[in-house]
């Protein structure tokens, strides 16, 4: 384990940050897979061959669907298990779920990475706050995050997801009126 990752792990313990966990078991269904780790549980649900939702499930069953109003679909998937990971595949993409610690990588059918958790950081929980660190792909650009100031391409900028009435804000102000924790990453593997 690299020195940086070790320092991050030590800082996480100090701040009571819980890493994503090590996969203990899983259960497949016709709409996805449930994964149980030593710290958290995850639901991986398919809404189509190219749309996947990963939801960290708390101790109390969270029925809130947030902005997702569609029900998961019965999508034909193939499944492979390996010593350190398993792969759930549709005709459009492959989802690689690493077991220790849990992390997710999405690949298109040409094997190009669409989206990937940052190795060593991945998913972290502190109380009710969940953070997911993503590996920046070469040339990747970002759009989204709701009503934010600054450039359309969000790459290289940090934003706070908090709503506040910020009258007469300038072009660098953050946060302002509307936070939407959703972004689209555009890279060569996205198509």
């Amino acid at each position: 384990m690299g020195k940086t990752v070790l320092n991050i792990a030590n800082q996480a313990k100090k701040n009571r940050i819980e890493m994503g966990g090590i996969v203990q078991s899983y259960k497949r269904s016709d709409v996805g897979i449930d994964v149980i780790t030593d710290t958290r549980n995850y639901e991986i649900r398919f809404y189509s061959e190219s749309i996947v939702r990963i939801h960290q499930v708390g101790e109390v069953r969270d029925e809130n669907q947030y902005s997702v109003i569609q029900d998961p679909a019965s999508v034909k998937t193939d499944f492979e298990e390996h010593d350190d990971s398993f792969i759930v595949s549709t005709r459009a993409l492959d989802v690689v779920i690493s077991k220790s610690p849990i992390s997710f990588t999405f690949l298109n059918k040409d094997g190009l990475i669409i989206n990937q958790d940052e190795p060593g950081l991945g998913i972290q929980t502190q109380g009710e706050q969940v953070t997911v660190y993503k590996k920046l792909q070469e040339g990747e650009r970002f759009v989204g995050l709701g009503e934010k100031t600054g450039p359309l391409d969000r790459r290289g900028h940090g934003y706070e997801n908090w709503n506040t009435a910020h009258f007469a804000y300038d072009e660098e102000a953050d946060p302002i009126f509307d936070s939407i924790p959703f972004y689209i990453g555009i890279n060569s593997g996205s198509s």
Side-chain angles (χ1 to χ4, degrees), residues 161-178:
N161 281 319
W162 183 263
N163 300 337
T164 188
H166 191 146
F167 178 73
Y169 57 86
D170 62 35
E171 63 184 44
E172 298 298 319
D174 186 55
I176 58 174
F177 305 108
D178 194 17

Side-chain angles (χ1 to χ4, degrees), residues 106-117:
F106 301 86
L107 299 106
N108 69 16
K109 289 317 235 182
D110 292 330
L112 297 173
I113 295 173
I114 300 168
N115 183 281
Q116 177 182 29
D117 290 351

Side-chain angles (χ1 to χ4, degrees), residues 25-191:
S25 63
Y26 62 88
K27 180 180 177 186
R28 295 180 62 197
S29 73
D30 61 339
V31 294
I33 183 170
D34 295 331
V35 179
I36 292 102
T37 73
D38 57 344
T39 59
R40 298 284 174 171
N41 300 336
Y42 299 87
E43 292 177 342
I44 296 92
R45 297 291 181 262
F46 289 88
Y47 289 81
S48 74
E49 291 180 337
S50 60
I51 298 175
V52 181
R53 178 180 185 217
I54 298 175
H55 180 71
Q56 181 176 290
V57 181
E59 294 170 8
V60 176
R61 176 77 179 141
D62 183 3
E63 296 296 335
N64 187 349
Q65 292 298 307
Y66 305 97
S67 62
V68 179
I69 59 173
Q70 179 180 345
D71 289 327
S74 180
V75 174
K76 182 185 177 323
T77 60
D78 294 319
F79 185 83
E80 294 177 35
E81 183 168 9
H82 303 278
D83 289 342
D84 60 347
S85 65
F86 37 91
I87 303 169
V88 184
S89 301
T90 69
R91 289 191 313 179
L93 58 84
D94 296 328
V95 181
V96 179
I97 304 167
S98 297
K99 295 179 180 179
S100 181
I102 190 167
S103 66
F104 300 90
T105 302
F106 301 86
L107 299 106
N108 69 16
K109 289 317 235 182
D110 292 330
L112 297 173
I113 295 173
I114 300 168
N115 183 281
Q116 177 182 29
D117 290 351
E118 178 65 40
L121 293 174
I123 305 162
Q124 298 180 10
T125 305
Q126 186 173 15
E128 292 182 8
Q129 185 175 13
V130 178
T131 305
V132 180
Y133 292 89
K134 296 294 183 179
K135 182 172 182 169
L136 185 64
Q137 302 302 311
E138 186 175 332
E140 188 169 14
R141 301 291 183 219
F142 302 95
V143 296
L145 300 178
E147 188 175 344
K148 297 289 186 186
T149 59
L152 179 62
D153 181 3
R154 305 294 188 197
R155 183 180 175 135
H157 300 272
Y159 298 92
E160 184 177 348
N161 281 319
W162 183 263
N163 300 337
T164 188
H166 191 146
F167 178 73
Y169 57 86
D170 62 35
E171 63 184 44
E172 298 298 319
D174 186 55
I176 58 174
F177 305 108
D178 194 17
S179 295
I180 301 173
F182 176 83
Y183 72 90
I184 297 174
I186 303 165
N187 65 50
S188 61
S190 296
S191 57

